[in-house]
Amino acid sequence: MKTLLVLLGALLLINPVNAQWSEVKQNQLVTYGKATLYYPPDRVQFSFGVRGLGSTLDEAIKQATERVLRISKKLQQVGIADRQVRTSYFNSADNPEGKSWWSSSGDFAAAYEMTITIDTVFDLVEPAIAALATEPVEHLSRLEFSLRDDAVKRLEACNAAAQDARRKAEQLASTLGTTISDVLFVEDESQGPIPLPGIPMRSISSVAGLQAGVKSVFPPTQISVDGRLKVIFELRRKQ
């Protein structure tokens, strides 16, 4: 009998809590704010690779380094500063393709991958490519356009999404005969800047066209930044 009374007492204590929690959940309104903002790209990046060969590892590294320095000077002449060119990859090792029974000038290889970053002034892209075309580079990457301050742009998209969420919540609450008050929960479901497909170098123009000053690099007109927020508001009765 004593055990039964204890169980009944526990149920009486639990039920008001459950009822209160159910009431809180019923006084919540979940909305999703969405916004997509568009910005013109203000940064472009592309890379090139150079390779050096030698009968020793030092000779291979020296040859590759000299090629990078020679290209860097030509890039400076067209307006590309040293800070805009960085080494993104380096490797030196035996060269299986050049190995022979006797020592040769291709026993070892060294490779650099250099990335060029150009901000705002896209007119420097073509002169830079023309400068690279005069040197024996191994390859050129695609042109990748992006935003410099993508974190700032994402915050702006989130702000716009928050305004959209509040606007929807206020409209729904008015329809239901209530009003929204405090924000109980916010979750950022944004994707951020949506990457653009790179532009292949071969579709830009010929080296002759570049040297003749024929303009053929046209950056994409805009990059989209997506903002999406899940927001839970507390509902209150209208006074």
Side-chain angles (χ1 to χ4, degrees), residues 14 102 120 139 168 173 191 205 219 232 235:
I14 292 173
W102 298 275
T120 307
H139 64 273
K168 290 177 180 177
Q191 295 181 0
S205 69
I232 301 179
L235 287 176

Short mmCIF file of all heavy atoms in Angstrom, two decimals, residues 14 102 120 139 168 173 191 205 219 232 235:
data_model
loop_
_atom_site.label_atom_id
_atom_site.label_comp_id
_atom_site.label_asym_id
_atom_site.label_seq_id
_atom_site.Cartn_x
_atom_site.Cartn_y
_atom_site.Cartn_z
N ILE A 14 4.93 14.42 -11.88
CA ILE A 14 5.38 14.38 -13.28
C ILE A 14 4.38 15.03 -14.21
O ILE A 14 4.73 15.77 -15.12
CB ILE A 14 5.65 12.92 -13.72
CG1 ILE A 14 6.87 12.38 -12.96
CG2 ILE A 14 5.88 12.83 -15.22
CD1 ILE A 14 7.12 10.92 -13.19
N TRP A 102 73.40 4.15 -67.22
CA TRP A 102 74.48 5.09 -66.91
C TRP A 102 73.87 6.42 -66.46
O TRP A 102 72.71 6.70 -66.72
CB TRP A 102 75.36 5.31 -68.15
CG TRP A 102 76.02 4.05 -68.59
CD1 TRP A 102 77.18 3.51 -68.14
CD2 TRP A 102 75.53 3.15 -69.58
NE1 TRP A 102 77.47 2.34 -68.76
CE2 TRP A 102 76.46 2.08 -69.67
CE3 TRP A 102 74.40 3.12 -70.41
CZ2 TRP A 102 76.29 1.01 -70.54
CZ3 TRP A 102 74.25 2.06 -71.27
CH2 TRP A 102 75.19 1.02 -71.33
N THR A 120 40.57 42.15 -58.15
CA THR A 120 39.90 43.33 -58.73
C THR A 120 40.33 43.64 -60.16
O THR A 120 39.48 43.74 -61.07
CB THR A 120 40.12 44.57 -57.84
OG1 THR A 120 39.74 44.25 -56.50
CG2 THR A 120 39.27 45.74 -58.32
N HIS A 139 52.18 23.02 -67.35
CA HIS A 139 50.73 23.09 -67.52
C HIS A 139 50.19 24.38 -66.94
O HIS A 139 50.85 25.05 -66.15
CB HIS A 139 50.03 21.90 -66.84
CG HIS A 139 50.20 21.90 -65.35
ND1 HIS A 139 51.28 21.32 -64.72
CD2 HIS A 139 49.45 22.46 -64.36
CE1 HIS A 139 51.18 21.49 -63.41
NE2 HIS A 139 50.08 22.19 -63.16
N LYS A 168 8.20 36.34 -42.03
CA LYS A 168 7.28 35.20 -42.14
C LYS A 168 6.61 34.91 -40.80
O LYS A 168 5.41 34.64 -40.73
CB LYS A 168 8.05 33.97 -42.62
CG LYS A 168 8.50 34.03 -44.06
CD LYS A 168 9.30 32.78 -44.41
CE LYS A 168 9.77 32.81 -45.86
NZ LYS A 168 10.62 31.63 -46.18
N ALA A 173 1.99 34.69 -37.26
CA ALA A 173 1.46 34.97 -35.93
C ALA A 173 0.23 35.86 -36.02
O ALA A 173 -0.76 35.65 -35.29
CB ALA A 173 2.54 35.64 -35.08
N GLN A 191 24.66 27.70 -47.17
CA GLN A 191 25.69 27.04 -47.97
C GLN A 191 26.89 27.94 -48.22
O GLN A 191 27.96 27.47 -48.56
CB GLN A 191 25.10 26.63 -49.33
CG GLN A 191 24.02 25.58 -49.24
CD GLN A 191 23.50 25.18 -50.61
OE1 GLN A 191 23.96 25.70 -51.63
NE2 GLN A 191 22.56 24.28 -50.65
N SER A 205 42.03 32.40 -75.51
CA SER A 205 42.44 32.86 -76.84
C SER A 205 43.81 32.29 -77.14
O SER A 205 44.45 31.66 -76.29
CB SER A 205 42.47 34.39 -76.91
OG SER A 205 43.52 34.88 -76.10
N PRO A 219 35.07 37.77 -67.01
CA PRO A 219 34.70 37.07 -65.78
C PRO A 219 33.19 36.91 -65.67
O PRO A 219 32.44 37.67 -66.30
CB PRO A 219 35.24 38.00 -64.69
CG PRO A 219 35.29 39.34 -65.32
CD PRO A 219 35.63 39.10 -66.76
N ILE A 232 13.29 29.70 -34.20
CA ILE A 232 12.13 29.37 -33.37
C ILE A 232 11.79 30.59 -32.52
O ILE A 232 12.63 31.06 -31.74
CB ILE A 232 12.40 28.15 -32.48
CG1 ILE A 232 12.74 26.93 -33.36
CG2 ILE A 232 11.18 27.84 -31.61
CD1 ILE A 232 13.06 25.68 -32.55
N LEU A 235 5.62 32.44 -29.00
CA LEU A 235 4.34 33.07 -29.31
C LEU A 235 3.68 33.57 -28.03
O LEU A 235 3.72 32.91 -26.99
CB LEU A 235 3.40 32.09 -30.02
CG LEU A 235 3.73 31.74 -31.47
CD1 LEU A 235 2.75 30.69 -31.97
CD2 LEU A 235 3.69 32.97 -32.34
#
